[in-house]
């Protein structure tokens, strides 16, 4: 028998090795699939060259009331999930992005659940392009950030309410950093310094205004007391 002849035993051993490697690959794929589907992150792959478009979407899309087959069968288009008030903005951003050579894009928008409720999503897109720069695929991850958004909106509402309150009182209210630069004030304080908008006070110091030496000294003494006592 020549040295390079393949025996049946060699062939069986080779096939057995391939089978073991295939089984190991399947186990790893199942493990990865389980991790993805139990995570809060929905993953998808969108092929722009295919009529089906969605090549893959993780099974945890079910948290929003949908199934992967809804997208594979084109019963539901991915863009149809975007909230109507966000859709035009998102399409505009993605269209502009697709015309560049960039590879990554971050988006925040709302998606509709099957029950017509909605969630805020943070979507990270990674793009595969042709040599000519045309988009071939969008690989994306979507994370529900509704709790974070609600907290941000609540904080914004609280700030707006506080701003309304301090602007409605006649007392002069302002706040500074430790370098005595103005961080903000109410309308009454801005008007007392002949400034139309309180925002225009930000970054200024008392030296920017026509305070007398006595007034500046008095203000500095008051501010030092506040710093030392930590009581406004």
């Amino acid at each position: 028998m020549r040295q390079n002849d393949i025996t049946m035993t060699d062939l069986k051993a080779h096939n057995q090795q391939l089978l073991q490697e295939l089984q190991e690959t399947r186990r790893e794929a199942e493990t990865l699939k389980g991790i993805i589907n139990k995570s809060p992150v929905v993953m998808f792959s969108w092929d722009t060259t295919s009529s089906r478009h969605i090549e893959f979407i993780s099974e945890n899309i079910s948290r929003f009331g949908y199934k992967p087959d809804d997208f594979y069968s084109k019963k539901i288009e991915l863009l149809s999930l975007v909230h109507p008030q966000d859709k035009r903005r998102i399409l505009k951003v993605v269209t502009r992005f697709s015309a560049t050579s960039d590879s990554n894009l971050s988006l925040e928008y709302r998606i509709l659940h099957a029950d017509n409720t909605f969630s805020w999503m943070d979507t990270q897109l990674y793009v595969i392009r042709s040599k000519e720069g045309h988009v071939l695929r969008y690989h994306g991850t979507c994370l529900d950030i509704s709790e974070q958004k609600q907290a941000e909106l609540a904080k914004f509402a609280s700030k707006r309410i506080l701003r309304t309150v301090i602007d409605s009182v006649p007392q002069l209210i302002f706040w500074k950093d430790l370098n005595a630069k103005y961080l903000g004030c109410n309308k009454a304080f801005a008007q007392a310094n002949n400034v139309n908008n309180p925002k225009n006070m930000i970054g200024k110091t008392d030296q920017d205004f026509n305070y007398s030496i006595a007034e500046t000294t008095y203000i500095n003494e008051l501010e030092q007391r506040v710093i030392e006592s930590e009581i406004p």
Side-chain angles (χ1 to χ4, degrees):
M1 187 184 336
R2 292 195 302 264
Q3 186 176 359
N4 58 355
D5 285 343
I6 299 175
T7 67
M8 288 299 295
T9 302
D10 293 333
L11 187 58
K12 287 181 179 179
H14 180 67
N15 288 342
Q16 184 64 30
Q17 182 180 354
L18 288 178
L19 180 60
Q20 290 176 350
E21 291 176 354
L22 178 60
Q23 289 173 339
E24 181 62 27
T25 300
R26 285 176 176 173
R27 282 194 293 270
E28 291 176 353
E30 286 299 317
T31 299
L32 181 59
K33 180 180 178 181
I35 292 172
I36 292 173
N37 290 331
K38 290 178 181 178
S39 79
V41 179
V42 175
M43 303 179 69
F44 68 89
S45 179
W46 185 339
D47 184 355
T48 63
T49 66
S50 168
S51 60
R52 192 174 75 168
H53 292 319
I54 298 299
E55 286 187 315
F56 168 80
I57 190 164
S58 53
E59 292 179 8
N60 55 355
I61 190 69
S62 61
R63 67 179 61 236
F64 305 112
Y66 306 106
K67 298 179 293 185
D69 283 344
D70 292 334
F71 302 93
Y72 299 148
S73 65
K74 297 188 69 173
K75 177 182 176 182
I76 298 175
E77 294 286 350
L78 197 60
L79 283 175
S80 69
L81 303 190
V82 179
H83 194 287
Q85 294 179 0
D86 298 333
K87 186 174 294 186
R88 184 177 180 181
R89 170 177 61 85
I90 292 302
L91 285 173
K92 186 176 181 179
V93 171
V94 172
T95 300
R96 186 186 303 127
F97 165 76
S98 298
T100 70
S101 59
D102 296 336
S103 299
N104 299 86
L105 177 66
S106 297
L107 298 166
E108 284 190 9
Y109 55 92
R110 292 164 291 179
I111 68 164
L112 291 170
H113 295 215
D115 62 2
N116 286 325
T117 58
F118 70 88
S119 292
W120 276 97
M121 305 299 292
D122 179 325
T123 293
Q124 302 295 319
L125 288 180
Y126 174 71
V127 175
I128 304 296
R129 296 180 183 272
S130 66
K131 292 181 180 179
E132 295 76 24
H134 303 304
V135 175
L136 300 178
R137 286 181 178 82
Y138 294 103
H139 296 314
T141 61
C142 300
L143 177 64
D144 189 336
I145 58 169
S146 298
E147 290 186 7
Q148 174 186 330
K149 271 293 182 180
Q150 289 171 359
E152 290 176 359
L153 292 173
K155 184 177 180 180
F156 175 77
S158 296
K159 286 185 175 180
R160 186 168 57 183
I161 292 172
L162 179 60
R163 167 58 63 181
T164 300
V165 170
I166 68 172
D167 281 340
S168 65
V169 298
Q171 287 82 5
L172 306 183
I173 302 174
F174 66 90
W175 50 100
K176 297 180 177 180
D177 63 16
L178 294 178
N179 295 315
K181 290 185 177 181
Y182 286 98
L183 296 175
C185 68
N186 66 347
K187 286 183 178 180
F189 187 84
Q191 290 170 358
N193 286 280
N194 296 317
V195 176
N196 294 329
N197 192 324
K199 290 182 179 180
N200 295 333
M201 290 290 297
I202 298 174
K204 294 185 181 297
T205 65
D206 293 334
Q207 283 68 40
D208 293 310
F209 303 100
N210 296 320
Y211 293 157
S212 66
I213 295 178
E215 288 173 327
T216 301
T217 301
Y218 177 68
I219 292 173
N220 290 340
E221 289 177 353
L222 289 179
E223 290 171 351
Q224 191 59 39
R225 290 179 197 171
V226 170
I227 293 172
E228 292 174 357
S229 65
E230 297 184 355
I231 299 175

